[in-house]
Amino acid sequence: MKTIGLIGGMSWESSAVYYRLLNEAARTRRGGLASADILLHSLDFSAVVALQKAGRWDLAGAMLAASAAKLEAAGAECILIGTNTMHLVADAVAAAVKVPLIDIVAVTGAALRAGGRQRPLLLATRYTMEHGFYHRRMEAACGLVPLVPDAAGRDLVHRVIFEELCQGTVSEASRAAMLEVIEAGRAAGADSVILGCTEICLLLDPDRLPLPGFDSTRLHAAAASEFALGTSGDQLRAKLAA
């Protein structure tokens, strides 16, 4: 079993989901009392959010790169960034280590492509929905054309993520509102939904949506588990590039 290095705390609500999913996968594969070999560096999310709001992605990238280097030095054999938004600085993180960075955008795009989807509705933070990095990488690597909600829908999704889910609040009213956003996306031509923030799985079940759902958190954790329990770094890179 290889050691998984998780850069977490963004928010810790989703890091807890990662921890559960990674350990469940190890127990399912190995049985009995087996659990995953995980190194977790949990960052102070308030510091990360301050850099996001200031547009200081350079400093945020340096922060996460330093975290990745610490995890590698401690024995991590792969790195996960436990958030979609901070994959905006994935190149800086990957450059700081020699072990593979398991990229959530690549993993999610590969799952969509395998499922025959082309126009997914992206539900995520405002940074992920509006910055453009997610769309560019999905289109370049997978030929996908993600859609995003309208301005009001983006406001709603961003608010629910930061003001509710990242603070441990799961609201039925917000679940209903998010489903309305998905219905609007379907009417606009979306053929699937990306739960493109690692906290959204706390609110929405990807298997109970008006469109086929792809939970980036679940997919990311599954890819890490596959690597840790038997896929080499070269094999992983080849699979994601296929």
Side-chain angles (χ1 to χ4, degrees), residues 86-135:
M86 297 312 295
H87 277 73
L88 193 156
V89 299
D91 288 345
V93 176
V97 295
K98 295 179 181 179
V99 298
L101 172 70
I102 301 179
D103 189 301
I104 200 169
V105 184
V107 167
T108 304
L112 284 155
R113 182 176 57 192
R117 304 297 164 180
Q118 293 184 318
R119 291 174 60 81
L121 177 68
L122 174 61
L123 302 181
T125 67
R126 183 182 307 283
Y127 310 111
T128 304
M129 290 187 289
E130 296 182 357
H131 190 278
F133 76 97
Y134 210 97
H135 294 70

Side-chain angles (χ1 to χ4, degrees), residues 182-219:
I182 294 172
E183 288 287 7
R186 178 164 66 172
D191 64 6
S192 51
V193 181
I194 301 172
L195 304 189
C197 169
T198 52
E199 284 82 20
I200 294 181
C201 62
L202 300 170
L203 183 68
L204 299 178
D205 181 341
D207 299 322
R208 301 181 65 183
L209 299 175
L211 290 168
F214 292 78
D215 177 7
S216 62
T217 311
R218 184 187 299 177
L219 293 166

Side-chain angles (χ1 to χ4, degrees), residues 44-54 127 162:
D44 177 1
F45 193 35
S46 66
V48 175
V49 170
L51 294 175
Q52 291 175 344
K53 289 181 176 179
Y127 310 111
F162 278 97

Side-chain angles (χ1 to χ4, degrees), residues 17-18 21 26 35 37 41 82-83 116 119 126 169 181 203 232 241-242:
V17 176
Y18 272 97
L21 291 172
S35 56
D37 188 348
H41 184 200
T83 160
R119 291 174 60 81
R126 183 182 307 283
T169 297
V181 170
L203 183 68
S232 72

